[in-house]
Amino acid sequence: MDWTIWLEWAIKSLVLIFTLLIGFGYLTYYERRFLALLQSRLGPNRAGPQGLMQWMADAVKLIFKEELIPAKAYKLVFILAPIITMVPSIVIAAVIPWGPNVNLFGRDISQSIANINVGVLYLMSIASIAVYGIVLAGWSSNNKYAMMGGLRSSAQMISYELTLGLSFVAVILLGNSMSLVEIVEAQRDVWFVVLQPVGALILWVATIAEVNRHPFDMPEAEQEIVAGYHTEYSGMKFALFFMAEYQKMIVVSAILATLFFGGYREFWFLKDTFLSVDRVPFLGPIYMFAKLVVLLGIMIWVRASWPRIKYDRLMAFGWKILLPLALAVVFITAVGILLAQEVNPWLMWLTPILSLFAGWIATLMVDRTIRRKNYA
Amino acid sequence: MLKELGRGLFTTFKMLVRGPVTTQYPEEKRQVRPRYRGRHVLKRYENGLEKCIGCSLCAAACPADAIFVEASENTDEERFSPGERYASTYEINMLRCIYCGFCEDACPTEAIVLGDNYELSFTDRRDAIYTKDFLLEGVPSPEMTTPQKVEPGVFTRSVPEMLDPQD
């Protein structure tokens, strides 16, 4: 092992971290501007041209704000909690491939920091660690609202993590690998969202619940529990929670893009043209960026449109609808792959049809629950 | 369930298509309505003489007691307004004014008019008292400014003749 590999890793890590940090800044800008447009407003447009420097102004404001530590807080944990929340949200991005290998300075360089063969497991484990920061923040604040926010967050994350894991299983079956690069390359002919649309939808819902975004933002429900787990935080510590939340948004969108929307690959019908990443490897990050913009835009659109759901409904939806549906999706995917291998490759198309049918039954179940609750 | 969720998304999407309704205020100002009651303006005749004759009817009509008028005598050597008298002091306390427009209704010469200026800010209580220099509208040309030296016996009526007395 020569020293240049260390250099390569260091440079790639720095690039990734700075991309995420600046991406956080511009994601807040993007969210505020797009949300404003969805609400017939303009949004921030004063700081810099079209408000592009708004995030810098926000950062300066937050850095210079006074930081309060409550007298009865558990100080060590109180200070550690934002860091524990922040670190996984960056670390989790290490396995996401941003493009195929490129040849630079006579070296074959992969456009991900680590191409480990159990990438999906890595995603699962790091995503679970993120909840610790939130729970510890809620507990160490010594504040009932913060505590409740932390508890809600942990309950919600644990519930939806099962669904998340099961929808990962469907992707692992389809891609026949746990390495993210191989999963992306398996989507050369057709994206997995076409083969397993319901799986993609389940993963999307579960990731929204994982990052505590609307309509599943019960841990931070302003009307009920002030600001949830970060009620007592101010200044840069609050900014770290904020940063972690938005970086998690970027990262889960990247995961969703990687697992279901072809990752850094182009549309499957463009695979033999000059737009293909096989011909121009540097298009990979651009495709990834475009997919991130679309997926994050949908997240913001959802935030603008849908109301927050009640906490018992959230739990019931997670355990009674989403989890069985995810199990059904895994089963249907497995059956489809088996039939395609043993009988006829065209039977692969049973997978989307049957899973859409299962999804339809699930929506009927939701409708039934809502209607029954009305009479009760 | 899907229908309702779709309807929610469609509602916000309609707003996106419609575009923002924001007015970028300091750069772009909205036209006020014709009968908008903004800051008062003291009007002049075409020849530059002030319409205000210092009768204090506006001060009498003012429910907030915001207007103070002090009248002085006109002469043909130094004429400010037609007729005998003019307002040598005219002050409106903008902290008291309620923009009711009664002063406008009470004025016999239509000298005081509530204009379209709504950008009234001051940093000191003393600045809230708007004086005559501030309220009086500008003259069309520099030689028309008051006081004017006029021919004797021309401007004897303080209230102009009505165009249509039946009105």
Side-chain angles (χ1 to χ4, degrees), chain A residues 260-317:
Chain A
F260 277 105
F261 294 91
Y264 55 78
R265 294 205 66 86
E266 67 288 340
F267 278 111
W268 61 91
F269 46 79
L270 292 174
K271 70 179 168 181
D272 290 325
T273 63
F274 64 94
L275 288 170
S276 167
V277 286
D278 295 334
R279 306 249 177 107
V280 193
F282 286 108
L283 277 175
I286 297 172
Y287 285 136
M288 200 67 179
F289 178 74
K291 285 170 191 176
L292 282 184
V293 167
V294 172
L295 288 172
L296 290 168
I298 293 173
M299 264 192 183
I300 297 163
W301 187 15
V302 163
R303 176 182 170 183
S305 307
W306 295 345
R308 189 180 288 142
I309 66 175
K310 245 165 71 181
Y311 199 68
D312 60 331
R313 290 271 172 82
L314 177 96
M315 282 298 168
F317 183 65

Side-chain angles (χ1 to χ4, degrees), chain A residues 331-345 347-348 351:
Chain A
F331 176 72
I332 290 165
T333 314
V335 168
I337 289 169
L338 198 63
L339 284 177
Q341 277 174 357
E342 301 292 324
V343 187
N344 184 345
L347 286 174
M348 194 65 216
T351 315

Side-chain angles (χ1 to χ4, degrees), chain B residues 110-138:
Chain B
E110 295 180 352
I112 187 162
V113 170
L114 271 71
D116 56 4
N117 188 354
Y118 48 83
E119 290 165 318
L120 311 159
S121 62
F122 28 81
T123 52
D124 191 334
R125 289 180 74 84
R126 285 171 214 286
D127 296 342
I129 297 166
Y130 285 9
T131 54
K132 188 180 168 189
D133 307 333
F134 195 83
L135 293 167
L136 199 60
E137 70 171 350

Side-chain angles (χ1 to χ4, degrees), chain A residues 33-201:
Chain A
R33 284 308 292 263
F34 189 47
L35 196 65
L37 283 177
L38 288 166
Q39 296 169 346
S40 299
R41 298 184 287 119
L42 275 177
N45 59 356
R46 294 285 151 161
Q50 287 296 309
L52 279 169
M53 291 291 114
Q54 183 69 40
W55 63 277
M56 222 177 250
D58 288 340
V60 169
K61 177 206 140 194
L62 282 169
I63 287 168
F64 284 103
K65 267 183 98 163
E66 185 186 2
E67 286 196 23
L68 291 170
I69 298 180
K72 294 279 179 68
Y74 192 144
K75 284 213 179 54
L76 178 68
V77 179
F78 189 80
I79 293 166
L80 268 177
I83 302 167
I84 298 174
T85 320
M86 180 71 190
V87 170
S89 73
I90 294 181
V91 170
I92 195 171
V95 291
I96 294 167
W98 297 86
N101 289 6
V102 289
N103 211 314
L104 268 184
F105 314 116
R107 296 176 56 91
D108 203 31
I109 294 174
S110 71
Q111 291 190 45
S112 64
I113 294 186
N115 176 19
I116 53 179
N117 55 3
V118 286
V120 178
L121 275 187
Y122 177 87
L123 291 181
M124 278 298 293
S125 49
I126 302 291
S128 320
I129 287 175
V131 74
Y132 276 104
I134 291 173
V135 173
L136 288 178
W139 176 71
S140 66
S141 297
N142 205 356
N143 171 323
K144 290 191 182 68
Y145 289 130
M147 184 76 223
M148 268 153 135
L151 282 178
R152 281 182 178 193
S153 181
S154 53
Q156 176 177 329
M157 278 181 152
I158 289 165
S159 310
Y160 280 77
E161 220 149 64
L162 294 170
T163 317
L164 195 76
L166 282 172
S167 51
F168 279 177
V169 170
V171 177
I172 294 167
L173 287 174
L174 285 168
N176 201 14
S177 167
M178 281 175 108
S179 153
L180 288 175
V181 175
E182 279 173 41
I183 287 173
V184 171
E185 290 301 326
Q187 300 180 58
R188 184 181 292 265
D189 295 320
V190 61
W191 289 1
F192 288 163
V193 68
V194 182
L195 288 178
Q196 190 45 273
V198 179
L201 202 67

